[in-house]
Amino acid sequence: MILEQVLNGVMLGMVYALIAVGYSLVFGILKLLNMAHGSIYAFGAHMALFIVSMHFGLLPAFLFAILTTGIISVLMDRIILAPLRAKNAPNITALISVMGVSYIIQNMMMIIFDSTKKTFPKLFDFGNVTFLGVTLTSTQIAMFLIALAFLVLLTVVVNYTKVGLAMRASRENAKAANMMGIDVRRIVTFTFFISGMCAAVAGVLVSGYYQMVYSTMGTEAGLKGFSAAVLGGIGVLHGSVVGGIIIGVAEALAVTYLGGSFRSATAYIVLFIVLLIRPSGLFGKDNIVKV
Amino acid sequence: MQKKMLEVIDLHTNYGSIEALKGINLEVYEDEIVTLIGSNGAGKSTTLSSITGIVPSASGQILFEGTDITKMKASDITKLGIGVSPEGREVFGGLSVQENLKIGAYTRKDKKEIAESFEMVYDLFPRLAERKKQSAGTLSGGEQQMLAIGRALMSKPKLLLLDEPSMGLAPNLVDLIFELIVRINKAGTTILLIEQNANMALQIADRGYVLETGKVTLSDDAKVLQANDDVRKAYLGSAE
Ligand SMILES: Nc1ncnc2c1ncn2[C@@H]1O[C@H](COP(=O)(O)OP(=O)(O)O)[C@@H](O)[C@H]1O
Ligand SMILES: [Mg+2]
């Protein structure tokens, strides 16, 4: 019973990790909490729903969601955040702006897709798999594996490619990176694109899991991903992964043993406890190599 | 006469309402070591940042090998062949020595040539070769300075800009760094050297410019400047 809940938590936690990584990537380079990330995640789910409702199938839906969500994430930076940076606006201005963007995106979705809960097809439904005496659905396993694959891909990009090296250099010292001939503006754009991509993938996976899409779905997922990022030490890639899994497992256990109404509060209770012990998160700051 | 490599004409640069540069004129010829000396706040670093495109200039012109680079993006200026070791070194502390050097070669494509540059830099700074995998933040000040210069060399620059490479280093290390600068120059890289350590800079330079509150007040052969009374009093210390 306990093992079953832990595994359920790990499955969902991997998706929280993917959301968390989106926060961490942007925070790493701009020191900005992208509070629009949840809405961007919901946007991704809606884009997939749109393609699915036209009967184009799941793969095109995934690709379309990734592309459009990446683009909306980049547009937010280019139209709103980049001009603020050019004017040396204080960080709080950018923070308020992304909160505004969050509501604008949410509102647009309400207008275009209305605010009802819409059904989303169950992803990769091939029956159940029994593992260590615990039965998991193929949907859960697929969700876990796809999220994991994207996290591995991201880790490889950040740590072993030229653009990843430029990202790490820019996050550490943007001025020096610029002096070395790195176009930091383009690196920021790229970062927003992959952050949006992560949100879209997570959005589609969670929609497939709960078989549901609605315009305000990003609020809760966004907060969980955010908690996972802070829990792991925001800006630290592997910290976000660990944070996501902890939140996922804590939530699954709380729902089972304390009741469904504890679902949302659990993430915060875990977060508070960890931050009391380690204020900069599990892997935060002068500890281990960062993103 | 040697070829003119860099020409700065009546350059003005402001930070908001602060006029940091009020009409700088200077020239660097191929194969020279030219030094820019002056006290703290004179505008030396700003001159360098204007050349590299990090700080936009208000008016005036910067020509590199005849190309107007005044309004160019920093990344394009690096590609043209200007490398910089900035004030305070600014190495990427969380990245390894090797990764720092790789970033120096960021604008280059040819893998074989980049490998050659790695060899050249490790040859010049054996200490960096020994610490390839070490993160740059754990290096000593002198080693970080070597890394900053090595990183600049990785872009295979025609013109190398050095901003106070001796700052904060022990005297024996300062000597070593200056020796290496001469060696880099002999190997065919033109150098614009910014220094507060005017004495050392004038010893290795061909020519020098004296900067005061955003203006060039003197320029001459390094030997002449070394002998100049005003320069001696202001920048070389009375005991020299
Ligand atoms: N980022 C900045 N913002 C505002 N003023 C600056 C900035 N950088 C330099 N200054 C000012 O510009 C002038 C020239 O500075 P700088 O070029 O750093 O001098 P130096 O390198 O010769 O010590 C100084 O008055 C300095 O205070
Ligand atoms: Mg300076």
Side-chain angles (χ1 to χ4, degrees), chain A residues 183-259:
Chain A
D183 194 335
V184 177
R185 274 177 47 191
R186 275 173 59 188
I187 296 297
V188 170
T189 298
F190 179 73
T191 304
F192 271 99
F193 187 87
I194 55 174
S195 157
M197 176 188 87
C198 291
V201 172
V204 178
L205 292 177
V206 172
S207 302
Y209 180 60
Y210 292 122
Q211 295 160 59
M212 204 164 35
V213 167
Y214 53 102
S215 51
T216 54
M217 66 187 274
T219 311
E220 204 182 318
L223 287 173
K224 270 177 207 152
F226 172 61
S227 307
V230 174
L231 182 60
I234 192 157
V236 186
L237 207 58
H238 58 273
S240 294
V241 177
V242 175
I245 290 172
I246 291 177
I247 300 261
V249 170
E251 182 187 300
L253 292 176
V255 170
T256 313
Y257 296 106
L258 303 174

Coordinates of all heavy atoms in Angstrom, one line a residue, chain A residues 183-259:
Chain A
D183 N 26.2 35.7 -27.6 CA 25.0 36.6 -27.7 C 24.0 36.2 -26.6 O 23.2 35.4 -26.8 CB 24.4 36.4 -29.1 CG 23.4 37.6 -29.4 OD1 22.9 38.2 -28.5 OD2 23.2 37.8 -30.6
V184 N 24.2 36.9 -25.5 CA 23.4 36.5 -24.3 C 21.9 36.6 -24.5 O 21.1 35.9 -24.1 CB 23.9 37.3 -23.1 CG1 23.0 37.0 -21.8 CG2 25.3 37.0 -22.8
R185 N 21.5 37.6 -25.4 CA 20.1 37.8 -25.6 C 19.5 36.6 -26.3 O 18.4 36.1 -26.1 CB 19.9 39.0 -26.6 CG 19.8 40.3 -25.7 CD 19.7 41.5 -26.6 NE 18.7 41.3 -27.7 CZ 18.5 42.1 -28.7 NH1 19.3 43.2 -28.9 NH2 17.6 41.9 -29.6
R186 N 20.3 36.0 -27.2 CA 19.8 34.8 -27.9 C 19.8 33.6 -26.9 O 18.9 32.7 -27.0 CB 20.7 34.5 -29.1 CG 20.3 35.2 -30.3 CD 21.2 35.1 -31.5 NE 21.3 33.7 -31.9 CZ 22.2 33.4 -32.9 NH1 23.0 34.3 -33.4 NH2 22.3 32.2 -33.2
I187 N 20.7 33.6 -26.0 CA 20.7 32.5 -25.0 C 19.5 32.6 -24.1 O 18.9 31.6 -23.8 CB 22.0 32.6 -24.2 CG1 23.3 32.3 -25.1 CG2 22.0 31.6 -23.0 CD1 23.3 30.9 -25.7
V188 N 19.1 33.8 -23.8 CA 17.9 34.0 -23.0 C 16.7 33.6 -23.7 O 15.8 32.9 -23.2 CB 17.8 35.5 -22.5 CG1 16.4 35.8 -21.9 CG2 18.9 35.9 -21.6
T189 N 16.6 33.9 -25.0 CA 15.5 33.5 -25.9 C 15.4 32.0 -25.9 O 14.4 31.4 -25.7 CB 15.7 34.0 -27.3 OG1 15.7 35.4 -27.2 CG2 14.6 33.5 -28.2
F190 N 16.6 31.3 -26.1 CA 16.6 29.9 -26.1 C 16.1 29.3 -24.8 O 15.4 28.3 -24.8 CB 18.1 29.4 -26.5 CG 18.2 27.9 -26.5 CD1 17.8 27.2 -27.6 CD2 18.9 27.3 -25.5 CE1 17.9 25.8 -27.6 CE2 19.1 25.9 -25.5 CZ 18.6 25.2 -26.6
T191 N 16.6 29.9 -23.7 CA 16.2 29.4 -22.4 C 14.6 29.5 -22.2 O 14.0 28.6 -21.7 CB 16.9 30.3 -21.3 OG1 18.3 30.2 -21.5 CG2 16.6 29.7 -19.9
F192 N 14.1 30.6 -22.6 CA 12.6 30.7 -22.5 C 11.9 29.7 -23.4 O 10.9 29.2 -23.0 CB 12.1 32.2 -22.9 CG 12.1 33.1 -21.7 CD1 13.2 33.9 -21.4 CD2 11.1 33.0 -20.8 CE1 13.1 34.8 -20.3 CE2 11.0 33.8 -19.7 CZ 12.1 34.7 -19.4
F193 N 12.5 29.4 -24.6 CA 11.9 28.4 -25.4 C 11.9 27.1 -24.8 O 10.8 26.4 -24.7 CB 12.6 28.3 -26.8 CG 11.9 27.4 -27.8 CD1 10.8 27.9 -28.6 CD2 12.1 26.1 -27.8 CE1 10.1 27.1 -29.4 CE2 11.4 25.2 -28.7 CZ 10.4 25.8 -29.5
I194 N 13.0 26.6 -24.2 CA 13.0 25.3 -23.6 C 12.2 25.2 -22.3 O 11.6 24.2 -22.0 CB 14.4 24.7 -23.5 CG1 15.3 25.5 -22.7 CG2 15.0 24.3 -24.8 CD1 16.6 24.8 -22.5
S195 N 12.2 26.4 -21.6 CA 11.3 26.4 -20.4 C 9.8 26.2 -20.8 O 9.1 25.5 -20.2 CB 11.5 27.8 -19.7 OG 10.5 28.1 -18.9
G196 N 9.4 26.9 -21.9 CA 8.1 26.7 -22.4 C 7.8 25.3 -22.9 O 6.8 24.8 -22.7
M197 N 8.8 24.8 -23.5 CA 8.7 23.4 -24.0 C 8.5 22.4 -22.8 O 7.6 21.6 -22.9 CB 10.0 23.0 -24.7 CG 10.1 21.6 -25.2 SD 11.7 21.1 -25.8 CE 12.5 20.6 -24.3
C198 N 9.2 22.6 -21.8 CA 9.0 21.7 -20.6 C 7.6 21.9 -20.0 O 7.0 20.9 -19.7 CB 10.0 22.1 -19.5 SG 11.7 21.8 -19.8
A199 N 7.1 23.1 -20.0 CA 5.8 23.4 -19.5 C 4.8 22.7 -20.4 O 3.8 22.0 -19.9 CB 5.5 24.9 -19.4
A200 N 4.9 22.8 -21.7 CA 4.0 22.2 -22.6 C 4.0 20.6 -22.4 O 2.9 20.0 -22.4 CB 4.3 22.5 -24.0
V201 N 5.1 20.0 -22.4 CA 5.2 18.6 -22.2 C 4.5 18.2 -20.9 O 3.7 17.2 -20.9 CB 6.7 18.1 -22.3 CG1 6.7 16.6 -21.9 CG2 7.3 18.4 -23.6
A202 N 4.8 18.9 -19.9 CA 4.2 18.5 -18.6 C 2.7 18.7 -18.7 O 1.9 17.9 -18.2 CB 4.8 19.4 -17.5
G203 N 2.3 19.8 -19.3 CA 0.8 20.1 -19.4 C 0.1 19.0 -20.2 O -1.0 18.6 -19.7
V204 N 0.7 18.5 -21.2 CA 0.0 17.4 -22.0 C 0.0 16.2 -21.2 O -1.0 15.5 -21.1 CB 0.8 17.2 -23.4 CG1 0.1 16.1 -24.1 CG2 0.7 18.5 -24.2
L205 N 1.1 15.9 -20.5 CA 1.2 14.6 -19.7 C 0.1 14.6 -18.6 O -0.6 13.6 -18.4 CB 2.6 14.4 -19.2 CG 3.7 14.1 -20.2 CD1 5.1 14.0 -19.5 CD2 3.4 12.8 -21.0
V206 N 0.1 15.7 -17.9 CA -0.9 15.8 -16.8 C -2.3 15.7 -17.3 O -3.2 15.1 -16.7 CB -0.6 17.0 -15.9 CG1 -1.7 17.2 -14.8 CG2 0.7 16.9 -15.2
S207 N -2.6 16.4 -18.4 CA -3.9 16.4 -19.0 C -4.3 14.9 -19.4 O -5.4 14.5 -19.2 CB -4.0 17.3 -20.2 OG -3.6 18.6 -19.9
G208 N -3.3 14.2 -19.9 CA -3.6 12.8 -20.3 C -3.8 12.0 -19.1 O -4.6 11.0 -19.2
Y209 N -3.2 12.3 -18.0 CA -3.3 11.5 -16.8 C -4.7 11.7 -16.1 O -5.4 10.8 -15.8 CB -2.2 11.9 -15.8 CG -2.1 11.2 -14.5 CD1 -2.0 9.8 -14.5 CD2 -2.2 11.9 -13.3 CE1 -2.0 9.1 -13.3 CE2 -2.2 11.2 -12.1 CZ -2.0 9.8 -12.1 OH -2.0 9.2 -10.9
Y210 N -5.1 13.0 -16.0 CA -6.4 13.3 -15.4 C -7.5 13.3 -16.4 O -8.6 13.5 -16.0 CB -6.3 14.6 -14.6 CG -5.4 14.6 -13.4 CD1 -4.4 15.4 -13.2 CD2 -5.7 13.7 -12.3 CE1 -3.6 15.4 -12.1 CE2 -4.9 13.6 -11.2 CZ -3.9 14.5 -11.1 OH -3.1 14.5 -9.9
Q211 N -7.1 13.2 -17.7 CA -8.1 13.3 -18.8 C -8.9 14.6 -18.7 O -10.1 14.5 -18.9 CB -9.0 12.1 -18.8 CG -8.2 10.8 -19.1 CD -8.9 9.6 -18.7 OE1 -10.0 9.3 -19.1 NE2 -8.3 8.8 -17.8
M212 N -8.3 15.7 -18.5 CA -9.0 16.9 -18.2 C -8.1 18.1 -18.6 O -6.9 18.1 -18.3 CB -9.4 17.0 -16.8 CG -10.6 17.8 -16.5 SD -11.3 17.5 -14.9 CE -10.0 17.2 -13.8
V213 N -8.8 19.1 -19.2 CA -8.1 20.4 -19.5 C -9.0 21.5 -19.1 O -10.2 21.5 -19.4 CB -7.7 20.4 -21.0 CG1 -7.3 21.8 -21.4 CG2 -6.6 19.4 -21.4
Y214 N -8.5 22.5 -18.4 CA -9.3 23.7 -18.1 C -8.4 24.9 -18.0 O -7.2 24.7 -17.7 CB -10.2 23.5 -16.9 CG -9.5 23.0 -15.7 CD1 -9.1 23.9 -14.6 CD2 -9.1 21.7 -15.5 CE1 -8.5 23.5 -13.5 CE2 -8.4 21.2 -14.4 CZ -8.1 22.1 -13.4 OH -7.4 21.7 -12.3
S215 N -8.9 26.1 -18.1 CA -8.1 27.3 -18.3 C -7.3 27.6 -17.0 O -6.2 28.2 -17.1 CB -8.9 28.5 -18.7 OG -10.0 28.6 -17.9
T216 N -7.8 27.3 -15.8 CA -7.0 27.6 -14.6 C -6.2 26.5 -14.1 O -5.7 26.5 -13.0 CB -8.0 28.1 -13.5 OG1 -9.0 27.1 -13.3 CG2 -8.7 29.4 -13.9
M217 N -6.0 25.4 -14.9 CA -5.3 24.3 -14.5 C -3.8 24.6 -14.1 O -3.2 23.8 -13.4 CB -5.3 23.2 -15.5 CG -4.6 23.5 -16.8 SD -4.8 22.3 -18.1 CE -3.5 21.1 -17.8
G218 N -3.3 25.7 -14.6 CA -1.9 26.0 -14.4 C -1.6 26.5 -13.0 O -0.5 26.5 -12.5
T219 N -2.6 27.0 -12.3 CA -2.4 27.6 -11.0 C -1.8 26.6 -10.0 O -0.7 26.8 -9.4 CB -3.7 28.1 -10.4 OG1 -4.3 28.9 -11.4 CG2 -3.4 29.0 -9.1
E220 N -2.4 25.4 -9.9 CA -2.0 24.4 -8.9 C -0.7 23.8 -9.4 O 0.3 23.7 -8.6 CB -3.0 23.4 -8.7 CG -2.9 22.7 -7.4 CD -3.9 21.6 -7.1 OE1 -5.1 21.8 -7.5 OE2 -3.5 20.6 -6.7
A221 N -0.6 23.4 -10.7 CA 0.6 22.7 -11.2 C 1.8 23.7 -11.1 O 2.9 23.3 -10.8 CB 0.3 22.3 -12.7
G222 N 1.5 25.0 -11.4 CA 2.6 26.0 -11.4 C 3.1 26.1 -9.9 O 4.3 26.1 -9.7
L223 N 2.2 26.1 -9.0 CA 2.7 26.2 -7.6 C 3.5 25.0 -7.1 O 4.4 25.1 -6.4 CB 1.5 26.5 -6.6 CG 0.9 27.9 -6.8 CD1 -0.3 28.0 -5.9 CD2 2.0 28.9 -6.3
K224 N 3.0 23.8 -7.6 CA 3.7 22.6 -7.2 C 5.1 22.6 -7.9 O 6.1 22.2 -7.2 CB 3.0 21.4 -7.7 CG 2.0 20.9 -6.6 CD 1.2 19.8 -7.0 CE -0.1 19.8 -6.3 NZ -1.2 19.1 -7.0
G225 N 5.2 22.9 -9.1 CA 6.5 23.0 -9.8 C 7.4 24.0 -9.1 O 8.6 23.8 -8.9
F226 N 6.8 25.1 -8.8 CA 7.6 26.2 -8.1 C 8.1 25.7 -6.8 O 9.3 25.9 -6.4 CB 6.7 27.4 -8.0 CG 7.2 28.5 -7.1 CD1 8.4 29.1 -7.5 CD2 6.6 28.9 -6.0 CE1 8.9 30.1 -6.8 CE2 7.2 29.9 -5.2 CZ 8.3 30.5 -5.6
S227 N 7.2 25.0 -6.0 CA 7.7 24.5 -4.7 C 8.8 23.5 -4.9 O 9.8 23.5 -4.2 CB 6.5 23.8 -4.0 OG 5.4 24.6 -3.9
A228 N 8.6 22.6 -5.9 CA 9.7 21.6 -6.2 C 11.0 22.3 -6.5 O 12.1 21.9 -6.1 CB 9.2 20.7 -7.3
A229 N 10.9 23.4 -7.3 CA 12.2 24.1 -7.7 C 12.8 24.7 -6.5 O 14.1 24.6 -6.3 CB 11.8 25.1 -8.7
V230 N 12.0 25.3 -5.6 CA 12.6 26.0 -4.4 C 13.1 24.9 -3.4 O 14.2 25.1 -2.8 CB 11.6 26.9 -3.7 CG1 12.1 27.4 -2.4 CG2 11.2 28.0 -4.7
L231 N 12.4 23.8 -3.3 CA 12.7 22.7 -2.5 C 14.1 22.2 -2.9 O 15.0 21.9 -2.0 CB 11.7 21.6 -2.6 CG 11.8 20.4 -1.7 CD1 11.8 20.7 -0.3 CD2 10.7 19.4 -2.0
G232 N 14.3 22.0 -4.1 CA 15.6 21.4 -4.6 C 16.7 22.5 -4.6 O 17.9 22.1 -4.7
G233 N 16.4 23.7 -4.5 CA 17.4 24.8 -4.7 C 17.2 25.4 -6.0 O 17.7 24.9 -7.0
I234 N 16.5 26.5 -6.1 CA 16.1 27.0 -7.4 C 17.3 27.4 -8.3 O 18.3 28.0 -7.8 CB 15.1 28.2 -7.3 CG1 14.5 28.5 -8.7 CG2 15.7 29.4 -6.7 CD1 13.1 29.2 -8.7
G235 N 17.3 27.0 -9.5 CA 18.4 27.3 -10.4 C 19.3 26.0 -10.6 O 20.1 25.9 -11.5
V236 N 19.0 25.0 -9.7 CA 19.8 23.8 -9.8 C 19.0 22.7 -10.5 O 17.9 22.3 -10.0 CB 20.2 23.3 -8.4 CG1 21.2 22.1 -8.5 CG2 20.9 24.4 -7.6
L237 N 19.5 22.2 -11.6 CA 18.7 21.3 -12.4 C 18.3 20.0 -11.7 O 17.2 19.7 -11.6 CB 19.5 21.0 -13.7 CG 18.7 20.6 -14.9 CD1 17.7 21.7 -15.3 CD2 19.7 20.3 -16.1
H238 N 19.3 19.3 -11.1 CA 19.0 18.1 -10.5 C 18.2 18.3 -9.2 O 17.5 17.4 -8.8 CB 20.3 17.2 -10.3 CG 21.3 17.9 -9.4 ND1 22.3 18.7 -10.0 CD2 21.6 17.9 -8.1 CE1 23.0 19.2 -9.0 NE2 22.6 18.7 -7.9
G239 N 18.4 19.5 -8.6 CA 17.6 19.8 -7.4 C 16.1 19.8 -7.7 O 15.3 19.3 -7.0
S240 N 15.8 20.4 -8.9 CA 14.4 20.4 -9.3 C 13.8 19.0 -9.5 O 12.7 18.8 -9.2 CB 14.3 21.2 -10.6 OG 14.7 22.5 -10.5
V241 N 14.7 18.1 -10.0 CA 14.2 16.7 -10.2 C 13.9 16.1 -8.8 O 12.8 15.5 -8.6 CB 15.2 15.9 -11.0 CG1 14.8 14.5 -11.1 CG2 15.5 16.5 -12.3
V242 N 14.8 16.2 -7.9 CA 14.6 15.6 -6.6 C 13.4 16.3 -5.9 O 12.6 15.6 -5.3 CB 15.9 15.8 -5.7 CG1 15.6 15.3 -4.3 CG2 17.0 15.0 -6.3
G243 N 13.3 17.6 -6.0 CA 12.2 18.4 -5.4 C 10.9 17.9 -6.0 O 9.9 17.7 -5.2
G244 N 10.8 17.7 -7.3 CA 9.6 17.2 -7.9 C 9.2 15.9 -7.4 O 8.0 15.7 -7.1
I245 N 10.1 15.0 -7.2 CA 9.8 13.6 -6.8 C 9.3 13.7 -5.3 O 8.3 13.1 -4.9 CB 11.0 12.7 -6.9 CG1 11.1 12.4 -8.5 CG2 10.7 11.4 -6.2 CD1 12.4 11.7 -8.8
I246 N 10.0 14.5 -4.5 CA 9.6 14.6 -3.1 C 8.2 15.1 -3.0 O 7.3 14.6 -2.3 CB 10.6 15.5 -2.3 CG1 11.9 14.8 -2.2 CG2 10.0 15.8 -0.9 CD1 13.0 15.7 -1.5
I247 N 7.9 16.2 -3.7 CA 6.5 16.7 -3.7 C 5.5 15.7 -4.2 O 4.4 15.6 -3.6 CB 6.4 18.0 -4.5 CG1 7.4 19.1 -4.0 CG2 5.0 18.6 -4.6 CD1 6.9 20.1 -3.1
G248 N 5.8 15.0 -5.2 CA 4.9 14.0 -5.8 C 4.6 12.9 -4.8 O 3.4 12.6 -4.6
V249 N 5.6 12.4 -4.1 CA 5.5 11.3 -3.2 C 4.7 11.8 -1.9 O 3.8 11.2 -1.5 CB 6.8 10.7 -2.8 CG1 6.7 9.8 -1.6 CG2 7.5 10.0 -4.0
A250 N 5.1 13.0 -1.4 CA 4.4 13.6 -0.2 C 3.0 13.7 -0.5 O 2.1 13.4 0.4 CB 5.1 14.9 0.1
E251 N 2.7 14.2 -1.7 CA 1.3 14.5 -2.0 C 0.5 13.1 -2.1 O -0.6 13.0 -1.6 CB 1.2 15.2 -3.4 CG -0.1 15.5 -3.9 CD -0.1 16.1 -5.3 OE1 0.6 17.1 -5.5 OE2 -0.7 15.4 -6.2
A252 N 1.1 12.1 -2.7 CA 0.4 10.8 -2.9 C 0.1 10.2 -1.5 O -1.0 9.7 -1.2 CB 1.2 9.9 -3.7
L253 N 1.1 10.3 -0.6 CA 0.9 9.8 0.7 C -0.1 10.6 1.5 O -0.9 10.0 2.2 CB 2.3 9.8 1.5 CG 3.4 8.9 0.9 CD1 4.7 9.0 1.7 CD2 2.9 7.4 1.0
A254 N -0.1 11.9 1.4 CA -1.0 12.7 2.1 C -2.5 12.4 1.7 O -3.4 12.3 2.5 CB -0.7 14.2 1.9
V255 N -2.6 12.3 0.4 CA -4.0 12.0 -0.2 C -4.5 10.7 0.4 O -5.6 10.5 0.8 CB -4.0 12.0 -1.7 CG1 -5.3 11.5 -2.2 CG2 -3.7 13.4 -2.2
T256 N -3.6 9.7 0.4 CA -4.0 8.4 0.9 C -4.3 8.3 2.4 O -5.3 7.8 2.9 CB -2.9 7.3 0.6 OG1 -2.5 7.5 -0.7 CG2 -3.4 5.9 0.8
Y257 N -3.4 8.9 3.2 CA -3.5 8.8 4.6 C -4.2 9.9 5.3 O -4.7 9.8 6.4 CB -2.1 8.5 5.2 CG -1.5 7.3 4.8 CD1 -0.5 7.3 3.8 CD2 -2.0 6.0 5.2 CE1 0.1 6.1 3.3 CE2 -1.5 4.8 4.7 CZ -0.4 4.9 3.8 OH 0.1 3.7 3.3
L258 N -4.3 11.1 4.7 CA -4.9 12.2 5.3 C -6.2 12.6 4.6 O -7.1 13.3 5.2 CB -4.0 13.4 5.4 CG -2.6 13.1 6.1 CD1 -1.7 14.3 6.0 CD2 -2.9 12.8 7.6
G259 N -6.3 12.2 3.4 CA -7.5 12.6 2.6 C -7.2 13.5 1.5 O -6.2 14.3 1.5

